[in-house]
Amino acid sequence: MGARRMAKGIGEFLMELVGEAVAEVILGLLACALLLSLGLIAYLSWSFSPRLTVAGAGGLSLFLAYGAWGAFRNPSKDRRRRGVAAVATGGFTLAAATAVFLFFYGSDCGCL
């Protein structure tokens, strides 16, 4: 009876270990693919038009700054986020989550 339970525990441990290893590899590959695609987008946009690339980066920075301001300010009770403020806050949240993901999983990427 004890040997069966011990064998079942070892089997569960091995399944969890393999599952975590596979998940780590998948997340690493996603981080590398995301880094490569962001680099490719930057390269292609710069080769198309450097001025438009700088203007687009500036506009995106302003949009994300507005989203950060909307995310961290103290909203009044009678006002809700609407329209552009909600989209900017969502864009900032998505960019922040992507940055955290790349910080944790893209730092050990072999593609750099």
Side-chain angles (χ1 to χ4, degrees):
M1 188 84 157
R4 247 189 251 199
R5 194 167 36 177
M6 186 171 70
K8 184 178 178 183
I10 291 173
E12 288 176 0
F13 170 75
L14 289 176
M15 287 296 292
E16 184 176 337
L17 184 70
V18 169
E20 286 181 9
V22 169
E24 191 76 24
V25 168
I26 289 172
L27 288 173
L29 288 174
L30 283 175
C32 285
L34 183 61
L35 278 174
L36 287 175
S37 65
L38 289 174
L40 181 64
I41 288 170
Y43 172 75
L44 290 176
S45 66
W46 188 264
S47 66
F48 176 70
S49 173
R51 288 181 185 154
L52 190 59
T53 301
V54 171
L60 182 64
S61 297
L62 287 174
F63 179 74
L64 291 177
Y66 179 64
W69 176 73
F72 292 117
R73 72 178 181 156
N74 292 329
S76 62
K77 295 183 187 222
D78 58 337
R79 297 179 77 185
R80 296 184 328 182
R81 288 188 191 104
R82 295 187 185 183
V84 176
V87 172
T89 302
F92 169 74
T93 304
L94 181 66
T98 302
V100 168
F101 171 73
L102 287 176
F103 177 73
F104 285 122
Y105 290 102
S107 60
D108 62 342
C109 183
C111 59
L112 298 177

